[in-house]
Amino acid sequence: MALSAETESHIYRVLRTASGAAAHFVALGFTIFVAVLARPGSSLFSWHPVLMSLAFSFLMTEALLVFSPESSLLRSLSRKGRARCHWVLQLLALLCALLGFGLVIVHKEQLGKAHLATRHGQAGLLAVLWAGLQCCGGVGLLYPKLLPRWPLAKLKLYHATSGLVGYLLGSASLLLGMCSLWFTATVTGGAWYLAVLCPVLTSLVIMNQVSNAYLYRKRIQP
């Protein structure tokens, strides 16, 4: 027996709500797991994985989920209020990423190691640079009068698409970091696979949110 359109819509909303809740939990849980593993303060390097996971796993995930009608923790706020929270969270994510990247550079200088010699380091640099450009692009949405020739709807679409690319770059950097000697020396077996699933799951949720936001805009356009 075929399900009615209303039933299918309800099931879809429930699934989106459940996946959003899972993304909140996983983003926070993964960041806490990395912090426990790294023991921040035990060495200069220990701050690097903590700050990078805080930036790309927790803060950036929350910054993007803030617009989700089913998963946002700030649904009571106006669209303008959520946009401001999104900007603050993204700025904090960028600051954490810059600090984490800077500390690992200092750490490698102290050890006399080469910089950007691994795929993880290269992906991390690209993710940090992209996050910086993305924050600069967000200024155009906060102050649309700075770009009078660009329709606001298109600016939002480009910003969301670029943000998704940046988020995936950050997730890729986290995944490559879990293949590093530091991580694999401590986390093995099933725990390693569970850790790898964390950025994969949050990436799938974020991709679904961005794609649905795009389809929604297409439907409401005349």
Side-chain angles (χ1 to χ4, degrees):
M1 181 177 178
L3 297 175
S4 65
E6 182 179 353
T7 301
E8 288 182 350
S9 177
H10 176 70
I11 293 174
Y12 182 66
R13 286 196 301 270
V14 170
L15 290 175
R16 275 177 59 86
T17 301
S19 63
H24 286 298
F25 176 78
V26 168
L28 178 60
F30 178 78
T31 304
I32 293 174
F33 171 73
V34 172
V36 171
L37 187 67
R39 293 181 296 122
S42 58
S43 66
L44 181 63
F45 173 81
S46 66
W47 290 102
H48 170 70
V50 174
L51 289 168
M52 297 308 256
S53 60
L54 180 62
F56 291 114
S57 177
F58 180 67
L59 290 171
M60 200 169 283
T61 300
E62 294 301 322
L64 295 174
L65 287 178
V66 77
F67 292 117
S68 173
E70 297 89 5
S71 308
S72 175
L73 300 178
L74 303 172
R75 278 172 287 180
S76 60
L77 293 181
S78 65
R79 174 78 182 185
K80 187 175 182 180
R82 282 179 286 160
R84 287 176 177 173
C85 290
H86 169 79
W87 170 251
V88 171
L89 288 169
Q90 285 289 78
L91 184 59
L92 288 174
L94 176 61
L95 292 175
C96 286
L98 287 171
L99 183 57
F101 195 81
L103 288 175
V104 80
I105 289 177
V106 175
H107 172 71
K108 288 197 172 187
E109 280 290 333
Q110 292 178 346
L111 297 179
K113 291 185 176 181
H115 299 293
L116 305 177
T118 63
R119 297 296 184 189
H120 168 58
Q122 294 162 5
L125 174 62
L126 187 57
V128 172
L129 292 176
W130 198 286
L133 292 174
Q134 183 70 6
C135 283
C136 292
V139 175
L141 292 178
L142 286 176
Y143 306 101
K145 291 182 179 180
L146 295 174
L147 301 170
R149 296 185 179 181
W150 289 80
L152 186 58
K154 283 191 176 181
L155 285 176
K156 289 181 178 179
L157 176 60
Y158 296 153
H159 184 69
T161 305
S162 175
L164 175 59
V165 173
Y167 185 84
L168 294 177
L169 283 172
S171 296
S173 177
L174 293 177
L175 286 170
L176 290 170
M178 284 183 272
C179 297
S180 67
L181 292 176
W182 170 79
F183 195 87
T184 54
T186 309
V187 183
T188 58
W192 186 85
Y193 288 100
L194 286 175
V196 166
L197 282 176
C198 290
V200 173
L201 186 147
T202 54
S203 294
L204 290 173
V205 173
I206 295 301
M207 283 192 290
N208 178 266
Q209 175 182 303
V210 173
S211 62
N212 275 278
Y214 171 74
L215 292 174
Y216 175 75
R217 290 194 185 99
K218 292 288 285 185
R219 286 198 301 268
I220 64 175
Q221 284 177 353

